[in-house]
Amino acid sequence: MPTRLRSAFFLSVAGFFPLTARAQVRPLKIEDAIGAYNIQTQSLLGVISPDGRFVAHTVCDPQRARRDSADNGADTKNSPYFSVGCDLHVTSLADKSTRKIVSAKGGNWAPAWSPNSAMLAFESDRDGSPLVYVWEEKTAKVRKVSDVSTRSRFGFERPLWTPDSKQLVVKLFPQGFTQEQLELSNSGGAPVTDKVAGSTLVFYQTLPASAAQPPAPPSAAAARNFMMGDLSVIDVATGKIKRLAQYAGAWFGISPDGKHVAYLDVTGDRMDPTRIGLSTNLTVIDLAGGVPRTLTKSVVQTFTGAINWSPDSKWIAYTNKAPIDMARVRAGATISSPNGANTQDADLYVIAAAGGEPKKFSGEGLLSGAFNSTFMAPLWNASSTELVAVGDGKLWRANVASGLAKLIPVSVPLRELVRGGDERTWWTNDGGASAIALTIDQQSMRSAYVKIDLTSGKTQTLFGGLKRIGRVFEAPFTSRDGRTIVFLAESGSESADLWSAGPDMKEPKRFTSMNPLLEGYTFGASKLIEFTSSDSAPLRGSLLLPAGYQEGKRYPLIVWVYASDEGSRNVNSFGLIGISAYNLHMFTTRGYAVLWPDMPVKVGTPMKDMMKSVMPAIDRVVEMGIADSNRLAVMGQSGGGYSTLSLIAQTNRFKAAVMSSGYGDLTAVWGSMSPVDGSGGWHPWLEQMGGAMGGPPWEQQQRYVDNSPIYILNKITTPLIIEAGGNDVSIVPYSDEVYVGMKRLKKDVTYLRYKGEGHVLTQYPNLIDYWNRVTKFLDERVKNPQLRQ
């Protein structure tokens, strides 16, 4: 899951940014870690004004989010999940001065500059419900555009300007719906006409019991309602609204000529399990109004964002999920996630905006599922004749006329291409002969920007040595004139801030400093370690040294785990996890070392495979003279919670364990019913992905038993804390199950169940409570066990 130091940025090799002096080692105050300011997660990183003068971005205050959630009375049901407590900052690229668009309560998000650079549109629930506002650059005044509520359910949705800077295309609350109909907790069942007055029945049925009983609605109908809205045009001067179409989705885009709007509309159809995601129809409607035209059906993406209009408005390029190779899964493939959420699993298509059959690109060496399907939209050249796209670290150049894609022989693995300021074309300073891409060195895991010759594939490093640039959602962005790039950067010991650079990418400069209070702390340095699994596979891991580390001294070690993940990818994320809720510097500043090892698993044997990687990784850190083999703890969240329980059921080496949002019974989790539509939401994960079962329980009965630690709770001797959110409906019953079993066995177990919380703790008071309890628990049982004697 997982997303932030405010001192000068650390470069271990290039030396561009010297490290500022640190204060003496002291424990990171829980309030400082949890209350740190950050960029809004799961959102667009920011935008540069078309005239190249300003950058607009979010800054979010967790403490204000706490106050807002508690007492502002705002109706945030239709606001993005991570928008609470966020304000907008507008920073001058010339002198770095900042003007703040703040509100006493509520959140502010989704900034969008008008094409004439005179206004910044954004959404805010400062007045009680989410509405559209504009900020005028000359006067710095904010005014409300309309009194009709918006419904941008995700942080990366935003208002879009028409080319004349007079209108905004937005997603409004859908007419004909009540709030209750749109909420997941009240959805999922079939309509019932014979319900007793006052009954709270939610009715589920796969087939009608009789002709009198209506059949169940489409299985994803509730998911469609959750994303439902009215695609609308608002006149910025008058506030007049024109509703174009009702749809369910998270992406829409205006054609460059300003005549059409395309959008992805969730159909309500459940796809076959080899294409994980909701099916959408790609639809176009005239901005002036009219009847929507469906261009193509069954478009599936991880998130609805890998789609792009051509500059001439004639084409739309997109990626579409390819079926999972189930034969490979059933054959016992090794499952790991070297690219995190950016795994390749889609094909590349283009379709004419006027209509016709979609064209799937093919080419020599181009395999099914070669492209990325998250937010990595294919990018156009200025003449709308070619596309470039990244998949599996490779670069492809696709010709629209021929339908052929050619592999560009790039010698380094690529993460993503940098978009031009129009967000449709690739960023270039030589007419399109080259492109700029982000690459990550697979040995050091450091980030760098490279310039790629699109004919020869020859690369030139523009600058390198930065620890980590960007995250899954927060892609870099550029100015319209191509002279400025802005990106998010961090390291394992320094949290994220925004940086800017010119077209030559030389001498990048930090222009935000969101948390100067963190500069008073000394954080543990991060490093990669190498080790060999017990079945001789070479693996790596991320290691955080204790703050003020002294060579030759042994320290207690906390191991963060997540089966199928590669912990080494996170060596340059601040506190490894990258989000304040699980900032592992909480431990480095308290005298612990922290390890996150690679944990590949094979289909059918995830529990055994965890032991094969985690225990050798620990032995390696002990061998290095860093860890004390008698003071070990393990913890993890979600699948990492399951991994934690699995490990302590197989070994007694750990002195303490913390399982967050975890489970121990794979069959029960497989049968967990989604509140959205009554389906099994965990089926894809367990059958084809990191759950590694390779099929349902009736096909793989013994696998589900052999890999469910609930059946061997009696072997656990490690003291355990269980944490779960009361609203995490697909997990909390199985955290309950673990606690009940441990209590029945009279094991040392504490259960922290936080009401109103979901899969990840977000509420400020709950995070303070959680960390107070966890740090005390680990200090007493691991760091200083004599405290309990």
Side-chain angles (χ1 to χ4, degrees), residues 39-217:
I39 302 292
Q40 183 186 358
T41 59
Q42 294 191 8
S43 67
L44 293 168
L45 186 58
V47 283
I48 300 176
S49 58
D51 60 15
R53 297 166 59 210
F54 302 104
V55 175
H57 62 92
T58 59
V59 174
C60 306
D61 178 358
Q63 297 195 55
R64 186 157 75 79
R66 166 201 178 189
R67 295 192 298 270
D68 286 357
S69 298
D71 59 24
N72 78 347
D75 177 11
T76 60
K77 295 185 180 69
N78 298 298
S79 304
Y81 184 65
F82 291 109
S83 66
V84 179
C86 296
D87 290 315
L88 295 176
H89 287 198
V90 178
T91 301
S92 167
L93 284 169
D95 61 15
K96 304 303 184 286
S97 61
T98 296
R99 287 181 281 181
K100 300 177 182 179
I101 306 173
V102 301
S103 53
K105 59 184 181 181
N108 306 271
W109 65 92
W113 285 103
S114 60
N116 61 11
S117 300
M119 293 174 286
L120 183 73
F122 64 98
E123 295 185 38
S124 174
D125 51 20
R126 58 179 63 194
D127 292 329
S129 61
L131 304 172
V132 179
Y133 296 79
V134 294
W135 176 81
E136 296 176 349
E137 190 274 317
K138 284 189 176 181
T139 65
K141 291 183 178 179
V142 172
R143 67 178 178 86
K144 184 167 49 179
V145 175
S146 166
D147 288 317
V148 178
S149 175
T150 61
R151 198 158 192 273
S152 300
R153 304 298 296 129
F154 303 94
F156 45 85
E157 296 179 89
R158 57 175 170 159
L160 296 180
W161 289 89
T162 55
D164 59 8
S165 298
K166 293 181 179 180
Q167 295 178 310
L168 286 164
V169 179
V170 296
K171 184 180 179 182
L172 297 179
F173 192 93
Q175 288 185 326
F177 282 83
T178 65
Q179 184 65 51
E180 183 181 51
Q181 290 173 308
L182 300 176
E183 292 177 12
L184 291 181
S185 59
N186 294 299
S187 303
V192 181
T193 57
D194 58 353
K195 185 164 64 174
V196 173
S199 170
T200 58
L201 170 69
V202 178
F203 187 86
Y204 295 91
Q205 188 176 41
T206 59
L207 296 172
S210 67
Q213 177 62 56

Side-chain angles (χ1 to χ4, degrees), residues 470-770:
R471 298 195 183 114
V472 173
F473 294 91
E474 292 86 8
F477 56 96
T478 56
S479 60
R480 289 290 182 99
D481 62 9
R483 300 196 59 78
T484 305
I485 181 174
V486 174
F487 54 89
L488 193 72
E490 64 187 312
S491 79
S493 58
E494 298 181 289
S495 63
D497 269 308
L498 291 176
W499 293 74
S500 65
D504 58 2
M505 308 292 280
K506 293 180 179 178
E507 299 182 0
K509 295 180 174 61
R510 186 182 69 170
F511 70 86
T512 65
S513 182
M514 289 183 288
N515 291 295
L517 63 88
L518 291 182
E519 294 183 8
Y521 288 99
T522 297
F523 298 112
S526 65
K527 62 184 297 181
L528 282 171
I529 67 163
E530 296 182 348
F531 64 97
T532 303
S533 72
S534 59
D535 55 4
S536 302
L539 297 172
R540 300 191 299 176
S542 296
L543 178 67
L544 283 180
L545 295 172
Y549 169 70
Q550 299 175 28
E551 189 171 352
K553 180 180 178 180
R554 291 190 180 272
Y555 295 85
L557 177 69
I558 293 173
V559 187
W560 182 270
V561 292
Y562 198 108
S564 80
D565 207 347
E566 293 191 355
S568 59
R569 290 186 300 107
N570 298 278
V571 67
N572 296 317
S573 296
F574 180 54
L576 295 191
I577 310 302
I579 59 173
S580 58
Y582 297 108
N583 185 343
L584 299 185
H585 282 308
M586 209 78 78
F587 300 120
T588 70
T589 59
R590 287 171 168 78
Y592 295 87
V594 180
L595 171 67
W596 187 355
D598 294 349
M599 294 176 62
V601 297
K602 293 182 179 179
V603 172
T605 57
M607 277 188 63
K608 290 181 180 179
D609 295 332
M610 293 180 210
M611 293 291 289
K612 292 179 180 179
S613 58
V614 174
M615 308 320 290
I618 294 171
D619 292 341
R620 175 60 181 142
V621 182
V622 172
E623 178 187 304
M624 293 168 68
I626 296 171
D628 182 343
S629 62
N630 293 315
R631 293 189 291 168
L632 305 175
V634 61
M635 62 190 301
Q637 191 269 344
S638 189
Y642 160 71
S643 304
T644 297
L645 190 68
S646 296
L647 288 164
I648 64 174
Q650 298 178 88
T651 178
N652 61 3
R653 286 189 67 181
F654 297 105
K655 302 302 182 185
V658 181
M659 180 184 86
S660 293
S661 306
Y663 47 89
D665 187 342
L666 296 189
T667 305
V669 173
W670 184 93
S672 174
M673 189 172 79
S674 167
V676 176
D677 57 16
S679 66
W682 282 91
H683 292 177
W685 169 257
L686 283 167
E687 294 182 23
Q688 297 122 30
M689 301 168 67
M693 290 296 96
W698 51 85
E699 290 181 6
Q700 306 293 347
Q701 180 180 5
Q702 197 59 46
R703 285 182 182 176
Y704 279 82
V705 174
D706 291 344
N707 292 282
S708 292
I710 196 72
Y711 294 106
I712 51 173
L713 292 183
N714 59 304
K715 295 185 178 182
I716 294 177
T717 61
T718 305
L720 174 67
I721 281 182
I722 301 169
E723 177 272 313
N727 288 351
D728 193 5
V729 294
S730 65
I731 289 294
V732 71
Y734 316 117
S735 294
D736 294 352
E737 184 182 24
V738 174
Y739 174 73
V740 168
M742 293 285 282
K743 183 178 181 180
R744 169 75 168 76
L745 290 162
K746 296 182 171 58
K747 302 291 185 178
D748 185 348
V749 61
T750 300
Y751 190 8
L752 310 176
R753 174 109 73 86
Y754 292 99
K755 293 181 179 180
E757 291 280 13
H759 197 52
V760 178
L761 290 180
T762 60
Q763 297 178 29
Y764 184 87
N766 290 336
L767 284 166
I768 298 294
D769 183 87
Y770 167 82

Side-chain angles (χ1 to χ4, degrees), residues 382 418-421 425-437 449-454 460 462 478-485 501-506:
V418 178
R419 300 171 297 176
T425 56
W426 64 80
W427 192 37
T428 182
N429 55 12
D430 54 14
S434 66
I436 311 297
Y449 280 115
V450 295
K451 183 177 181 179
I452 305 167
D453 185 296
L454 293 178
Q460 173 192 353
L462 300 179
T478 56
S479 60
R480 289 290 182 99
D481 62 9
R483 300 196 59 78
T484 305
I485 181 174
D504 58 2
M505 308 292 280
K506 293 180 179 178

